[in-house]
């Protein structure tokens, strides 16, 4: 076999192996995207810890500083939720139950419901719930595996991120190395500011929600404010999951003024303003990214791709923005 033939054969094998590798990791592309996102979110803490500890300890502590408070808050939130449920006054929803019973007792509705048919539908519904529950157990196991993968990969992204940069540059031809270094610098700045802005926005939403909850005298205002800030990190979920439940609670307890205020305050200050005003301002302040691109990264991408879009969207937008900056706004020029 001649040298040129061997060279093409070698390249073919490498390309085939890369395609196989891509095929293997493609179902877990969201894991890699989330790992990259969380690594950049933890980067400021990691850089601060690196002044006193080595890379391994700094990466472990940086991840722990994020995980432990979330675990404590989650456990405390579950306990508080159970307390609220057990202390809930069922008399407040009795009017709604009476309306349902009156509708059922009407001759028209009662005549439409056959006891046998009703029993049949109940059995089918129970079977459906059992099937769904068994499927959810499998999904929860799959999700747990992904969470463990994310923590593991995030740790190594933090610890060995600088090595990845050098590895990429080593594969680039000599005449393009300088341009690649410029592109990677812009890429790092774009990713850093896009994801760190998420943490900053979460803190701002926590403060705004705490103010709103204090105005209406929400019990456990501090806890609900922190939960709102945590949910705000995920655009599909968002802080609305907390303030909408609070508004529903006040509606069921016939405190309509607080319910309406909580809904309007939440929509304006905890949903619309953060996504369309505060987030673009924070990103634009740190790195030159157009507000439309910010909306695409943090709103359109999650709506198109689901939960994985939260991480994949900023990665794609950041890469394209870094290419534009490196191509047309070379910092060295």
């Amino acid at each position: 076999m001649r040298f040129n033939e061997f060279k093409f054969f070698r390249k073919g094998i490498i390309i085939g192996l890369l395609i196989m590798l891509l095929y293997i990791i493609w179902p877990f592309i969201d894991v890699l995207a989330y790992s990259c996102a969380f690594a950049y979110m933890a980067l400021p803490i990691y850089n601060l810890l690196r002044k006193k500890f080595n890379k391994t300890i700094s990466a472990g502590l940086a991840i722990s500083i994020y995980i432990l408070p979330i675990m404590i808050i989650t456990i405390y939130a579950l306990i508080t939720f159970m307390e609220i449920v057990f202390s809930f006054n069922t008399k407040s929803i009795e009017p709604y139950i009476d309306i349902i019973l009156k509708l059922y007792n009407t001759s028209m509705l009662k005549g439409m419901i056959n006891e046998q048919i009703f029993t049949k539908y109940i059995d089918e519904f129970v079977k459906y719930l059992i099937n769904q529950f068994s499927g959810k157990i499998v999904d929860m196991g799959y999700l747990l595996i992904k969470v463990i993968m994310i923590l593991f990969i995030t740790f190594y992204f933090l610890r060995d991120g600088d090595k990845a940069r050098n590895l990429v540059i080593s594969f680039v031809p000599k005449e393009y190395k300088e341009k690649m270094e410029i592109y990677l610098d812009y890429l790092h700045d774009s990713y850093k500011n896009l994801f760190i802005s998420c943490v900053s926005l979460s803190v701002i939403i926590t403060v705004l929600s705490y103010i709103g909850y204090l105005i209406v005298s929400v019990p456990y205002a501090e806890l609900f404010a922190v939960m709102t800030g945590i949910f705000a990190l995920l655009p599909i979920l968002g802080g609305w999951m907390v303030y909408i439940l609070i508004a529903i609670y006040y509606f069921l307890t016939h405190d309509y003024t607080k319910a309406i205020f909580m809904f309007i305050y939440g929509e304006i200050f905890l949903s619309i303003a953060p996504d369309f005003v505060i987030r673009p301002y924070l990103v634009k302040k740190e790195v030159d990214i157009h507000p439309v691109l910010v909306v695409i990264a943090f709103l359109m991408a999650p709506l198109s791709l689901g939960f994985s879009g939260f991480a994949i969207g900023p990665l794609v937008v950041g890469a394209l923005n870094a290419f534009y900056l490196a191509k047309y706004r070379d910092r060295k020029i």
Side-chain angles (χ1 to χ4, degrees):
M1 184 181 291
R2 296 179 181 179
F3 176 75
N4 288 335
E5 293 174 346
F6 176 75
K7 185 170 65 174
F8 286 119
F9 178 72
R10 183 185 64 183
K11 289 182 178 179
I13 292 177
I14 293 174
I15 292 173
L17 291 174
L18 289 174
I19 293 173
M20 182 60 68
L21 179 63
L22 181 62
Y23 176 78
I24 292 171
I25 67 175
W26 184 253
F28 299 95
I29 193 68
D30 55 339
V31 171
L32 295 175
Y34 269 108
S35 300
C36 182
F38 292 145
Y40 272 103
M41 289 180 183
L43 188 61
I45 299 176
Y46 171 78
N47 291 333
L48 186 64
L49 293 172
R50 278 288 290 126
K51 297 177 181 179
K52 293 186 177 181
F53 305 103
N54 59 32
K55 289 184 177 181
T56 301
I57 295 176
S58 298
L61 289 175
I63 295 175
S64 300
I65 289 174
Y66 270 97
I67 294 175
L68 291 178
I70 292 176
M71 291 179 61
I72 294 172
I73 291 169
T74 301
I75 294 172
Y76 180 56
L78 290 174
I79 295 173
T80 304
F81 178 75
M82 294 303 295
E83 290 179 357
I84 293 174
V85 169
F86 286 122
S87 63
F88 186 73
N89 186 7
T90 56
K91 291 183 178 180
S92 59
I93 60 173
E94 283 182 359
Y96 304 102
I97 298 175
D98 291 339
I99 293 174
I100 296 173
L101 292 175
K102 287 178 181 178
L103 287 174
Y104 174 75
N105 288 326
T106 58
S107 58
M108 182 180 69
L109 188 60
K110 207 169 185 180
M112 291 172 59
I113 299 176
N114 183 280
E115 186 174 348
Q116 293 181 349
I117 296 176
F118 183 75
T119 305
K120 178 183 176 182
Y121 280 120
I122 289 294
D123 292 338
E124 293 293 332
F125 181 68
V126 171
K127 291 178 181 178
Y128 172 78
L129 289 179
I130 293 173
N131 291 331
Q132 290 293 316
F133 183 72
S134 60
K136 291 299 180 183
I137 293 177
V138 177
D139 292 341
M140 287 299 294
Y142 186 67
L143 179 63
L144 181 61
I145 292 174
K146 281 193 169 185
V147 170
I148 295 173
M149 288 181 180
I150 289 173
L151 294 176
F152 182 80
I153 298 173
T154 301
F155 171 81
Y156 283 101
F157 275 175
L158 279 172
R159 198 189 73 169
D160 302 325
D162 53 343
K163 295 180 181 179
R165 183 181 186 277
N166 297 331
L167 181 65
V168 171
I169 294 175
S170 67
F171 283 99
V172 177
K174 186 176 180 180
E175 58 270 21
Y176 292 104
K177 284 187 183 293
E178 185 178 0
K179 292 182 179 179
M180 179 56 71
E181 288 178 355
I182 294 171
Y183 172 74
L184 291 178
D185 287 340
Y186 278 118
L187 184 67
H188 176 69
D189 291 341
S190 296
Y191 285 169
K192 181 177 67 175
N193 292 299
L194 277 170
F195 289 116
I196 291 178
S197 69
C198 293
V199 180
S200 302
L201 184 66
S202 176
V203 174
I204 293 173
I205 290 177
T206 300
V207 175
L208 290 176
S209 60
Y210 181 62
I211 294 173
Y213 299 155
L214 284 181
I215 292 175
V216 296
S217 301
V218 175
Y220 310 100
E222 300 85 357
L223 173 63
F224 287 121
V226 173
M227 290 176 60
T228 306
I230 293 174
F231 279 119
L233 288 172
L234 302 174
I236 290 180
L237 298 179
W240 65 268
M241 292 191 67
V242 179
Y243 70 76
I244 286 294
L245 289 177
I246 295 174
I248 292 174
Y249 172 82
Y250 282 122
F251 178 80
L252 292 177
T253 55
H254 307 293
D255 199 337
Y256 302 116
T257 303
K258 289 185 177 181
I260 295 172
F261 174 84
M262 198 69 263
F263 177 77
I264 295 175
Y265 182 90
E267 285 296 311
I268 295 175
F269 293 102
L270 305 181
S271 291
I272 297 175
D275 285 328
F276 293 97
V277 180
I278 301 175
R279 192 195 300 271
Y281 172 77
L282 290 174
V283 176
K284 181 74 175 178
K285 184 179 179 181
E286 298 295 334
V287 64
D288 192 10
I289 297 181
H290 196 277
V292 173
L293 294 178
V294 178
V295 173
I296 293 173
F298 290 102
L299 288 178
M300 292 186 183
L303 292 173
S304 301
L305 303 175
F307 287 108
S308 59
F310 164 70
I312 294 176
L315 291 179
V316 173
V317 170
L320 291 174
N321 186 72
F323 176 80
Y324 168 78
L325 294 176
K327 180 75 174 177
Y328 299 104
R329 299 187 185 181
D330 187 346
R331 63 181 66 178
K332 293 187 178 181
I333 296 177

